[in-house]
Amino acid sequence: MDVRGETHAGQVEADLDAFVYASAQNATIDAPDVSEADRDDITAVMNALARLRDAERELAEASRESMALSVQDMKALRFLVTVSRDGEVVTPGMLAQHLQASPASTTKLLNRLERAGHITRALHPVDRRALRIDVTPSTEALVQRVVGRQQARRFYAAARLTTVQRDIVTEFLNDMTAAISVDRADWVGNATVRKQDEPEE
């Protein structure tokens, strides 16, 4: 998949999110035991969650654009920075598995990142048949700044809550995560969904 394909995929995902949120707002929930006042409160919570996801998506898009990166590029760099920080050597095969991409697509992505000065490739220190991938210091510092600022804002938003409020928010988010898990989506069925690479150009 090339950059244009990834950009299109990102737009499709954003359009799908918008469709889901619009459908949710217009949905009629059969809950006779919930009062009208509670319904209004619950709707406000759902709308707040939608705004949070919109804000996170817009922030992620702005971060990628500021670094002139595609969706897949940013996923790759985030993985490389995270794994390397743990002292693990990253190989093209590991990255391909993480991205669920073919070896050919991963090679094209790495060629693109290397040309842009974001990564370097060298012989693996143990397996001389393999390559290691490293993020360049300048790109790692930039990713850390971008991600660090975002994480700091999230941290201080949580820090403004009391301990009791944080416990309530954590319990709610965990409960919501479990409720919308794909494991509980009866329309998914028993089929295993796999991501397919687009044909190479």
Side-chain angles (χ1 to χ4, degrees):
M1 183 186 296
D2 61 12
V3 177
R4 290 171 300 175
E6 290 165 6
T7 301
H8 174 69
Q11 184 59 50
V12 169
E13 182 180 359
D15 291 342
L16 180 59
D17 283 344
F19 172 74
V20 170
Y21 290 141
S23 300
Q25 288 178 340
N26 295 325
T28 300
I29 307 299
D30 184 18
D33 55 327
V34 178
S35 69
E36 193 65 31
D38 283 343
R39 283 177 180 271
D40 291 341
D41 290 343
I42 293 168
T43 298
V45 172
M46 297 300 102
N47 290 340
L49 286 173
R51 290 193 298 272
L52 173 61
R53 181 158 184 186
D54 286 342
E56 289 188 329
R57 184 175 60 247
E58 290 172 4
L59 186 60
E61 290 173 355
S63 299
R64 291 194 302 267
E65 290 174 1
S66 70
M67 297 177 66
L69 296 171
S70 69
V71 175
Q72 200 78 328
D73 292 343
M74 196 64 172
K75 286 181 180 178
L77 287 177
R78 188 162 56 237
F79 175 74
L80 291 170
V81 169
T82 301
V83 176
S84 298
R85 188 187 304 142
D86 294 335
E88 191 170 356
V89 176
V90 183
T91 65
M94 292 170 57
L95 180 61
Q97 183 176 14
H98 173 74
L99 298 176
Q100 294 185 302
S102 69
S105 295
T106 303
T107 297
K108 289 176 65 175
L109 179 147
L110 291 173
N111 289 342
R112 187 166 65 245
L113 292 178
E114 191 169 43
R115 284 196 302 269
H118 293 306
I119 66 160
T120 59
R121 284 176 282 191
L123 287 176
H124 194 282
V126 178
D127 185 355
R128 308 303 287 180
R129 298 168 300 175
L131 294 175
R132 65 175 295 163
I133 310 167
D134 294 293
V135 178
T136 59
S138 59
T139 295
E140 181 171 4
L142 180 57
V143 170
Q144 295 283 20
R145 284 200 303 273
V146 171
V147 175
R149 283 197 297 266
Q150 296 173 11
Q151 188 62 17
R153 290 166 184 165
R154 294 186 183 97
F155 177 88
Y156 285 112
R160 287 191 289 272
L161 302 176
T162 65
T163 299
V164 173
Q165 289 173 328
R166 284 193 288 270
D167 288 342
I168 293 172
V169 171
T170 300
E171 182 179 1
F172 166 71
L173 292 177
N174 287 338
D175 187 48
M176 179 67 72
T177 300
I180 65 174
S181 169
V182 70
D183 294 335
R184 301 185 63 175
D186 53 8
W187 49 267
V188 173
N190 296 323
T192 300
V193 179
R194 294 184 177 87
K195 293 183 180 180
Q196 300 293 332
D197 288 323
E198 294 185 4
E200 298 293 337
E201 296 184 352

